[in-house]
Each structure stands twice: as C-alpha cells, then as structure tokens.
Amino acid sequence: MKLINPSKQRFEHLVTQMKWRLREGNGEAIYEIGVSDSGFLQGLNDADMTVSLQTLNQMARKLDASTSILRRKSLADQRSVVEVLVRKIPDDQHNIEVRVAVLGGADAGKSTLLGVLTQGEFDNGRGLARLNMFRHMHEIQTGRTSCISHEMLGFDAEGSVINYKYNEMMTAEEISDRSTKLVTFMDLAGHRRYLKTTVQALSGYCPQHALIVIAAGNISNMTREHLAIIHALDISFSIIVTKIDLAPPDPILFELKNLLTSIGYRKVPYLISNQDDVLNANAHQSVEQIVPIFCVSNVTGAGLDLLIQYLYVLSPGISNAEKERLEQQPIEFQIDEIFRVAEVGTVAGGLLCKGVLTENSQVKVGPLQDGSFFSVTVQTIHRNKAPCRVVRAGQSASLSFNAVEPMPVLRSGMVILPDYESDEVACGCFFFQAQVSVLFHATRIFKGFQTTVHIGSIRQTAIIEGIMGAGDTGIGTNQSASVLFRFVRHPEYVRPGMRILLREGTSKGIGKVTQVFPLAQTQHNHTTTTTTTTTTG
C-alpha cells in the first residue's frame, strides 16, 4: 500500500523480501504501490507516493538493484497508483538474458521484423530490412531464410533500446556490454523444406519464449504446424500480425481467436492496443494461459513501440533457484552447429543445459560411431559474438578446442561432458525406451514404423522396435504407450527424462525418455550370451 518512514527493523525486513522476490524472478520483480492487500486500487496522494518511491529506491540501492517506473495510473481525488520494475543483474552475469525464437510461415515477415528491431530502421516495403539477417547468397536471392541466424536487442536500466543504431560504431560486443536486459532472437526458417532445421532449433536451443509471426491475410498451414510444435514443446508464445499497412488485420484476428480458443489449445487471445495491455499480459501470461497478439507494420512502424515495451518486461521464465540447481550439476553441452574457422580449427556452437563451463576445462566429446567419447580441452568460449571466460547453464555459446591427437569429425547432436577420471563411463546408445503420446496420425502406428526423432539437439531417423501393451492393434491419435526405439545411423547420448518429439509427414508425437541401453552394456551382454551359447554347444 505505502512505504512511508519504516522503522529500521521493518526496512531490513522489506530489503530481505525484495532480495527473495528478485531471486524468484531471476533478477526482476514488479512492485505496485498504492494497492491494498485485497488488490483494490486505493492510490496515494503525491506527497505519500514520492516518499514511498524514495523508500523503494533506498531498498533497491541496498541490493545494488535499479528501478524504473513502468506506468502511473491516476485515480480520483488526485491519488495515483504506480508500477515499478526492480531489476538486479546477478553478480556473475553482465545482463539478464531471454532467448526468443521467431517462427511463422514463409513470407510472413520474420526476418524483416528482426531487421527493423535490431537495426533501428523501418523497412522500405521491398525487403531492405531483412538483408542484414541473411547468411547465404541463396537466401538473399530468394528472400527465404534457410538456416538459424542469431540476433540481439538490448535495453539499458531505463528501458531505452540499445541496437546497432544506438551510435555509429556499435558492435554486437558493445550491445551486450551496455545492456542490463538482452533479448537474443533466433530467426527460424518458415518454408516447409526447412522444417527439420526449425524443429531442431526449438528442441535444441530451448527458447524461453516464441514469437509467431503471421502476415495479415490468412493463417497458412505452416503457421498451424509451428503452433502445434510450440504447444507440444510447452513453450510460451505471443503472436505478431505484420503487414497491417497492406491489409486490415480484423479477419485474421477473428480466425486466430477461433484457433486459440479451440479444444486443442484452450488459450486466451489478448489483443495489445496500449501500454497497460502490455504490462497486464506480461503479468498474467504464465498463470492464465494468455497469448498476447500485436499488430505491427515494419514499413510505417505502427505497433512496434508496444512490442519493444513487451520485450523489455518479458521475464526469462526460469527462477533463480532452478538456475542455481542446474549450475551445480555436471556439465552437459549440446552441440547444434559445427564451423571450420581458419587458424582456429573446429568450432562447436550449442546450448549448455547443465553446469558451468570455463576456458581450459578438460572435457570429452561424443558419442563416436562405437559409442565412445574423445577427450579434448576447451580453448576459447564466445557468447553473443564476443569472447568470454565462462558460460552457465541455460546459455548458448560457441567453443574452440585444443586436442593433442587429431580431432574426430564432429556432428550436430553430439554432447560435451566432463572428463572425469572415474569409473562412470559415458556411452552412446542405439536403443532407448520412451513414454510417447501420439498427437496426430492418419491411421495407426505399429512396430517397424520409421520416424524422425528430435531429442535436444539430436535429429535422427529411428525405428520403433516394439510397443508395450499394444499387441497387434498399434497406437493411434490421442493414445499413449511405452515404445522401444532404435536409432538407424549412429549412436546418440540420451538420458532418462529428456523430452522427445516425433515427426513424420503430418504425424506428430511427444513424450519422455524412460530408459536407455548404452552401447557398452548391450555389447557386453551380447558377448556374454555368445560365450554361454558356445560353452553349452
């Protein structure tokens, strides 16, 4: 309600409470002043509000946190209610980072939208803004993204945008250094031909939020497919309707409302039309299944300020306690991309799922074709296009290595684990078991069915070797069963509890790995069986 002249003991209690709130919100908390315990907007007069805000600032200073007023609502009798964002960057980080995936059908305007946000200049209506996003000549020629490109948008403590237009010589490293909040975007491909790359990025990079971009006109089948995958992976999302300067957004908003409220999704569409809507949507998104919808134009700039404000308050979605728990576990880095760099050698890009990885760490990479791992030393680490010494759980990075022997050929889907001198030997596997739910299949799935399996950054064809308890009937849409899979090409590092996504044509299924059969173990069992048979013979 108010923070006026608290006693020393009460002040210490308030600071401790703020510290706890910031830990829970991963460095961010929103305070509402002038609101009674029951949630009624009672409001304070100007004098009381000024003193309350001063007390709040003193509490924040005690914790080295910054404060910025998000909105002020005026009530009757010259009373007002204020909403304040308190932000404290964790001691071991430069900034608070949120990973956002950008999806949508081909020609929806994803790359153009990111070009406008990160370059700070509107599009000319003929694709100028997207040129900075493309990485290959064929992308520039066709205007279609075919691989994942990473871009960033920074915010300072006051909420001002820091992008490449901030000053003349702005580099990615400077954007990262000057920002207290950093939104890193993954621009994903929209064309059906590149769907496998898009799904691999979503399951491998574990984005904390997704923006689904739709051009004003109609919802394409590809967009529906992306929505289904996002829903299956349980990623929170917002929808952005672009090109409103060319076509009115009303028909597509009506279509979206019907789609999101259908039985499959049961979400609450929430059209953002002013700043209050932005803050309300952010506050209630996770609890009440709200999907914010923005209408923007990359040519005129309409609606972009609301989208930028939303990205500024968007929370990382993982509590500090959970983050600390992941950091204390042994390292596990999923390799997603491989580069060859002159004078550096092999560079692996990907996501650190668990632990803390530093330069000069002794690690092992694998699994190789026989299921074994290869020992190397991490030489350098780069994050957000800038060198750094340490990478923590939940952050993406690229690593270069220093190997005594020639490096084996790395591939996407391999993992980096700690190189312990213990008996615990990490090993790849061909066979694994998972509890799978079929989201959609035209007929029924039987033993022998081949499907593309996505587990983290792993993408490989697997064959169903057995379905427990299904007999000859197999499993169909909306049914689940325990299924035994076998990888077709090479062994992979899989552990129980990992999320699995199946995809083959229009068929889709999700599940969790329940049991793995490491190659070393299966080979050992096979050898024992052979010996017994020979002796008996």
Side-chain angles (χ1 to χ4, degrees):
M1 179 62 202
K2 55 187 172 185
L3 298 165
I4 297 174
N5 301 332
S7 65
K8 193 172 180 190
Q9 194 176 356
R10 167 88 175 130
F11 183 77
E12 290 302 328
H13 173 71
L14 286 167
V15 170
T16 309
Q17 190 185 42
M18 180 182 273
K19 190 175 185 179
W20 188 81
R21 294 260 181 250
L22 289 169
R23 274 174 61 83
E24 281 298 290
N26 199 10
E28 293 182 335
I30 292 177
Y31 274 72
E32 292 174 348
I33 299 173
V35 181
S36 65
D37 287 348
S38 61
F40 177 68
L41 299 183
Q42 206 160 322
L44 296 177
N45 61 37
D46 288 351
D48 285 357
M49 182 57 79
T50 306
V51 176
S52 295
L53 288 174
Q54 282 171 354
T55 310
L56 188 69
N57 284 336
Q58 285 168 358
M59 288 157 54
R61 272 206 299 275
K62 194 100 191 246
L63 296 172
D64 287 334
S66 63
T67 59
S68 61
I69 293 175
L70 292 178
R71 63 175 160 176
R72 185 187 286 264
K73 191 176 179 70
S74 299
L75 306 173
D77 302 332
Q78 294 187 329
R79 300 168 85 83
S80 61
V81 174
V82 169
E83 213 162 303
V84 183
L85 174 69
V86 182
R87 178 175 282 156
K88 181 185 182 342
I89 298 166
D91 300 332
D92 50 24
Q93 285 174 236
H94 275 314
N95 42 42
I96 292 166
E97 188 182 347
V98 186
R99 283 193 310 282
V100 176
V102 182
L103 302 110
D107 306 323
K110 299 179 295 300
S111 300
T112 301
L113 176 68
L114 286 193
V116 171
L117 288 175
T118 59
Q119 305 295 327
E121 288 186 10
F122 296 151
D123 188 40
N124 63 352
R126 294 188 299 280
L128 177 71
R130 68 187 178 191
L131 290 179
N132 294 303
M133 304 296 107
F134 291 152
R135 287 165 58 176
H136 301 293
M137 181 53 86
H138 68 261
E139 293 180 319
I140 294 170
Q141 287 164 348
T142 61
R144 284 188 184 143
T145 305
S146 67
C147 67
I148 310 158
S149 73
H150 297 263
E151 293 301 327
M152 61 176 85
L153 178 68
F155 295 96
D156 63 15
E158 278 72 52
S160 306
V161 172
I162 298 177
N163 57 17
Y164 289 107
K165 205 185 175 191
Y166 188 75
N167 66 31
E168 290 285 305
M169 309 292 286
M170 207 65 182
T171 63
E173 194 171 348
E174 279 185 291
I175 292 177
S176 179
D177 280 348
R178 291 184 183 214
S179 306
T180 56
K181 170 91 168 255
L182 194 67
V183 181
T184 52
F185 296 105
M186 284 189 298
D187 186 14
L188 303 179
H191 199 270
R192 179 167 287 282
R193 181 196 286 178
Y194 309 116
L195 181 63
K196 58 185 183 184
T197 310
T198 300
V199 177
Q200 187 181 13
L202 286 173
S203 72
Y205 273 103
C206 308
Q208 289 141 342
H209 192 76
L211 299 178
I212 295 183
V213 182
I214 303 172
N218 70 323
I219 303 174
S220 66
N221 290 336
M222 203 62 238
T223 302
R224 292 173 192 272
E225 186 101 359
H226 286 160
L227 265 168
I229 292 164
I230 285 284
H231 191 53
L233 290 170
D234 199 20
I235 299 169
S236 70
F237 64 94
S238 312
I239 292 177
I240 299 170
V241 179
T242 59
K243 306 187 184 180
I244 58 166
D245 52 304
L246 296 178
D250 301 336
I252 203 160
L253 292 175
F254 179 73
E255 208 177 332
L256 273 173
K257 187 182 175 188
N258 290 341
L259 177 64
L260 292 171
T261 50
S262 64
I263 290 171
Y265 292 101
R266 289 210 168 103
K267 300 280 188 187
V268 182
Y270 188 68
L271 183 63
I272 307 289
S273 52
N274 57 43
Q275 205 171 359
D276 279 0
D277 291 345
V278 170
L279 299 170
N280 292 340
N282 185 60
H284 302 293
Q285 188 166 8
S286 53
V287 189
E288 297 172 22
Q289 302 291 303
I290 278 179
V291 176
I293 301 176
F294 297 85
C295 294
V296 304
S297 164
N298 295 317
V299 177
T300 63
L304 284 174
D305 53 341
L306 294 176
L307 176 60
I308 288 170
Q309 172 76 6
Y310 177 71
L311 292 169
Y312 173 60
V313 292
L314 183 65
S315 89
I318 173 173
S319 74
N320 240 9
E322 173 68 7
K323 196 159 148 288
E324 284 174 11
R325 189 185 69 76
L326 286 172
E327 285 180 8
Q328 282 158 8
Q329 294 184 2
I331 60 168
E332 183 183 313
F333 184 93
Q334 294 181 348
I335 296 177
D336 199 69
E337 292 182 284
I338 310 294
F339 312 97
R340 298 263 178 277
V341 180
E343 297 176 17
V344 177
T346 304
V347 172
L351 178 81
L352 185 65
C353 304
K354 299 193 295 191
V356 177
L357 185 61
T358 56
E359 285 179 340
N360 303 320
S361 299
Q362 284 286 325
V363 294
K364 50 189 178 187
V365 185
L368 306 176
Q369 197 58 43
D370 60 353
S372 65
F373 280 70
F374 180 85
S375 294
V376 291
T377 306
V378 174
Q379 193 167 6
T380 59
I381 302 174
H382 274 64
R383 284 200 66 238
N384 296 327
K385 306 177 185 175
C388 69
R389 294 189 177 280
V390 63
V391 55
R392 298 174 180 280
Q395 296 179 338
S396 50
S398 49
L399 318 172
S400 73
F401 305 102
N402 186 0
V404 182
E405 300 169 40
M407 281 273 288
V409 176
L410 298 186
R411 58 179 170 77
S412 173
M414 281 184 165
V415 293
I416 295 174
L417 301 174
D419 195 1
Y420 291 140
E421 295 292 325
S422 66
D423 299 336
E424 196 181 315
V425 180
C427 190
C429 69
F430 272 110
F431 290 90
F432 68 94
Q433 200 166 322
Q435 186 69 29
V436 171
S437 304
V438 180
L439 298 177
F440 177 78
H441 188 69
T443 53
R444 298 185 76 76
I445 292 174
F446 298 96
K447 180 183 170 183
F449 178 74
Q450 282 199 12
T451 176
T452 305
V453 170
H454 294 270
I455 310 172
S457 60
I458 297 166
R459 179 182 78 208
Q460 200 188 140
T461 305
I463 296 174
I464 293 179
E465 292 289 342
I467 303 172
M468 319 305 158
D472 298 331
T473 57
I475 50 172
T477 304
N478 293 335
Q479 290 185 314
S480 58
S482 187
V483 179
L484 180 68
F485 290 93
R486 173 173 62 83
F487 285 121
V488 170
R489 289 178 56 209
H490 34 241
E492 302 283 12
Y493 177 77
V494 180
R495 54 181 169 75
M498 282 180 139
R499 192 187 277 268
I500 171 173
L501 183 71
L502 317 179
R503 188 183 57 77
E504 196 54 53
T506 54
S507 308
K508 264 193 279 322
I510 53 167
K512 274 202 173 151
V513 176
T514 51
Q515 196 179 354
V516 292
F517 305 96
L519 207 53
Q521 197 177 311
T522 43
Q523 282 171 345
H524 173 72
N525 292 350
H526 178 70
T527 317
T528 318
T529 319
T530 316
T531 318
T532 318
T533 317
T534 318
T535 318
T536 324

